[in-house]
Structures are given as C-alpha cells and as structure tokens.
Amino acid sequence: MESGLPAEHRALVLDTIEDGFHVKKIPTPQAGLGNAVIRVSAATVISYHREIYNGERAYEFPKPIVGGLSAIGRVAALGPDSTALKVGQLVYADCVIHSRDNPDDSFLIAIHEGHTEGAKKLSHNVWRNGAFAEYARFPLENCFALDEENLCGKLGYTIPDLLYISYLLVPYGGLRDIKVEPGETIVVCPATGGYGGAAVQTAISMGARVIAMGRNEKELARMKEHVLKGAPNASIETVKLSGDEATDTAALKSFGTIDAVVDFSPPFAAGSTHFKSAVTALRRGGRASMMGFAEVPHVPWSIISNNLTFKGKLMYERDDILQFLKMLERGLFPKGDKFVDTKTFKLEDWKEALDAGAEHTGIGKFVAFVP
C-alpha cells in the first residue's frame, strides 16, 4: 500500500546533545505491518522541548534521533493490515506509545525512552524518531482520523491551530480520570503554564467552574480574559498564590464547595504549598488528579476523614482521545484567536522555535513546526 514516498526527506536530527540539531536528508520511513507513514503538516513544540534537547532536563532517549512529539499530517502510506485509514486522510498522530502485548511498557516518542526494559526496547529499536520532519512513522493505533470538512471547513480551524489539542489532551486525561462533571468546581494549580492553562480551557469546555491558581497576577488576568472571550458564559475565578498555606486555603474556600483539583506542578515547584492548600479546600469526597511533580501532602487524617481520592495520571488513554475529538468536532471549544495564537517555524529555524516554545506559553499560546 505504498504511495510514492520519496527515497529521502528532510528531518531535524540530534546526533548529540553537545552538537544540537541539524537539518539533514535521511531515508524516508516506510510503511509496514501495524504502522502508517504521515506527511507532516504541523509538529508540536512543547514549552520544555529546549530543556530536553539541550540536556538541562537530563531525559534519557536514544541518539541520534529525529526530535518531536505529536503531529497532524496526511497519511502518505499504510501497512497492509490497515482497514480504516486512507492515503491522503488528515490524521492526528499521537506521541504516547504502548507495547501491543504489554501496555505497561510505554513511553513518549522522541523525548523519553520510558522506564521499563520493554519501553526502552521499543523506543530505541522500533519507534525512535519523532515528527520534526517531512515524514514520520506512527503505529496505526496512534493515528486518529480528523473530520477535515467539519474542523477546517465549517469550524474554521487551521491545521497548526488544531494541533493545540496535543496540549489540551493532557489535562483532559486527568480530568476524565477523576470523572469531572459539568457544573462541578475544579481548582487548577498552577494554572499559568502551558498544561495548567490548557487544563483551564479544557475544564471550561467540559462545563466545569474553574478556580485558577498562580503567582503571576498579570497572566491570571490574561487567562480570565481569554476564557471569557471564547466562552462569555464561562464560570472562572482566579486566586493569586501568597505562599502561605492557610491564606491560600481560605481564598479558595471563599468560593464555596470545591469538588476536584488537578495539579501540574513543575519539578522546581514540587515542594510548594499550593497543592496542599487546594487539597485542604476540597469537600468531603473530593478528588485530586496529580499530573505534575507535587509532593503528596502529609495530612493523612484529613485525607482519610474527608474520604478524599488521589489519582496519579500520566497523559491520557486512547479512549480519551476519541472522546475529546468528539467534543472538538461538536464545536465545544472556541474558534480562531479565541482558541489559540499559534506561532509556526520551519525546520531550519529550530533554535527560534524551541525558544518560542519556552516563552510563548500559557493558555491559548502554542508553537509548531510546519515542515
């Protein structure tokens, strides 16, 4: 089922951390059993891609490697066992790879090799390269057909803007995991980063009331303005973190009953008091989704006596992606600049792209390569 793939294509290759990326011509990946080759239209740049590829985060991944994460593109070639996808179809290609015979072996393509021997085997030998390239190969089960006529036609999304879903999906996995319902009140902490901001947007689109916590008062104000611009009837409140646990708890409780918390603490904020404040403000039977690096609060009796539930969550499940795409296709998210402001870059401008990824972040801000 080949589709006239070129012998070579351009890709952003990292041979060593010290040398950085270089745009190179490399052999074009070929379709085989269980996979698809995508002609990349847009590839996600996350806020800490720069820190990963310059060694600051010390993530383990094989080298040389084509960088990347998730992407949107058109199917260029399919393995012989594909029965649903079609060549030329627009698809979202997701970065979370699972072993087919042991789903516990999982990793994020091109940024981390995973924590099990099975994951390392796959990340080094099978699914090494990411989507910072003209073509990329993904497992068939990681390719999700997009309703292009509806999404890009009727709803007016551009392909780079659509790829903002690679951010929105992450908090959706956590929110769905703790069964957030329309009308419930959820605290997002901290809310001013890329994934925290995405959590605010996603929770609003799910019909929840959101209390966004953060230290940056200016960014909190921008967040509220962005949300209300796209959803004038949204219920959103903000709390500026004081650094004092009791003060922040009281500020949260002033808004009434709080049903759930989702945390996206970055590594440098693992010991911050904001998560403990949010948990203390939860109602009896409340739930917390831990998607960042927050330390579990040492308040065991209050957790037990209030029947609180804590759930760790890494990314999302395949069913979450399918359900999220239904929400998007039904028009539950804003459109145009009310949805996202996307900055795009060519592969040759990789330094500027990774810098922009680190700086152009927060709710409604996104960066992508357009090879």
Side-chain angles (χ1 to χ4, degrees):
M1 298 181 69
E2 294 295 334
S3 184
L5 294 173
E8 294 183 321
H9 71 127
R10 294 164 57 255
L12 201 52
V13 179
L14 186 75
D15 289 307
T16 67
I17 295 292
E18 295 73 21
D19 288 343
F21 280 109
H22 296 278
V23 177
K24 296 183 176 183
K25 280 196 171 184
I26 63 173
T28 302
Q30 300 297 305
L33 286 170
N35 63 62
V37 175
I38 308 302
R39 176 64 169 94
V40 177
S41 301
T44 296
V45 177
I46 56 175
S47 60
Y48 50 95
H49 254 141
R50 182 177 66 186
E51 296 175 13
I52 293 171
Y53 293 132
N54 69 13
E56 187 176 336
R57 286 219 175 191
Y59 282 16
E60 295 292 335
F61 54 87
K63 291 173 278 292
I65 196 169
V66 176
L69 205 64
S70 298
I72 288 178
R74 298 192 182 280
V75 176
L78 289 164
D81 55 337
S82 172
T83 61
L85 295 174
K86 307 295 181 186
V87 170
Q89 191 169 23
L90 192 69
V91 296
Y92 169 69
D94 189 68
C95 64
V96 184
I97 308 293
H98 291 272
S99 165
R100 288 170 177 149
D101 55 354
N102 182 11
D104 290 342
D105 292 329
S106 63
F107 63 97
L108 303 182
I109 197 168
I111 66 169
H112 201 289
E113 66 183 4
H115 298 286
T116 66
E117 289 306 311
K120 292 173 184 178
K121 173 184 176 181
L122 292 177
S123 64
H124 283 250
N125 302 326
V126 185
W127 306 110
R128 173 189 291 248
N129 290 327
F132 290 174
E134 292 177 321
Y135 291 87
R137 188 169 60 91
F138 282 86
L140 286 174
E141 62 269 27
N142 284 59
C143 298
F144 297 83
L146 298 174
D147 185 347
E148 185 175 4
E149 183 178 353
N150 181 34
L151 291 170
C152 299
K154 180 180 177 182
L155 296 176
Y157 292 112
T158 66
I159 289 176
D161 284 356
L162 264 184
L163 191 53
Y164 185 45
I165 66 177
S166 60
Y167 260 95
L168 300 172
L169 275 167
V170 177
Y172 184 68
L175 295 168
R176 197 163 184 240
D177 191 46
I178 58 171
K179 298 179 171 56
V180 169
E181 299 286 350
E184 286 195 312
T185 297
I186 179 165
V187 173
V188 178
C189 60
T192 53
Y195 289 114
V200 171
Q201 183 67 75
T202 303
I204 290 292
S205 295
M206 293 171 71
R209 178 197 189 203
V210 172
I211 303 173
M213 300 178 74
R215 299 188 185 281
N216 188 329
E217 201 164 15
K218 184 178 179 181
E219 179 63 12
L220 287 172
R222 187 191 73 83
M223 170 182 292
K224 190 168 185 176
E225 180 183 5
H226 177 82
V227 167
L228 294 176
K229 184 179 177 182
N233 295 322
S235 181
I236 178 170
E237 309 289 350
T238 61
V239 170
K240 184 181 186 300
L241 289 168
S242 69
D244 180 78
E245 182 183 329
T247 299
D248 294 338
T249 299
L252 291 171
K253 286 187 172 181
S254 70
F255 294 109
T257 301
I258 296 174
D259 301 288
V261 174
V262 61
D263 179 83
F264 281 97
S265 296
F268 60 81
S272 175
T273 60
H274 63 264
F275 184 58
K276 191 172 182 180
S277 295
V279 168
T280 304
L282 280 171
R283 66 166 171 83
R284 180 177 173 82
R287 300 97 70 200
S289 176
M290 301 177 66
M291 302 195 76
F293 293 85
E295 296 176 355
V296 177
H298 297 288
V299 284
W301 178 246
S302 63
I303 292 173
I304 294 167
S305 63
N306 286 313
N307 291 357
L308 302 184
T309 299
F310 287 74
K311 296 192 75 174
K313 186 66 181 176
L314 176 64
M315 304 297 279
Y316 38 78
E317 306 303 319
R318 191 174 192 276
D319 187 57
D320 295 331
I321 300 177
L322 295 170
Q323 191 63 33
F324 181 91
L325 290 177
K326 289 179 182 179
M327 288 179 57
L328 188 69
E329 290 168 354
R330 297 290 77 76
L332 297 183
F333 285 88
K335 290 81 176 177
D337 63 357
K338 299 174 184 177
F339 181 57
V340 67
D341 172 24
T342 302
K343 293 184 181 297
T344 60
F345 295 86
K346 297 296 184 182
L347 296 178
E348 288 79 6
D349 301 321
W350 64 270
K351 288 183 180 178
E352 292 87 347
L354 299 190
D355 287 344
E359 297 159 8
H360 187 67
T361 188
I363 190 170
K365 293 183 177 182
F366 181 60
V367 175
F369 279 113
V370 284

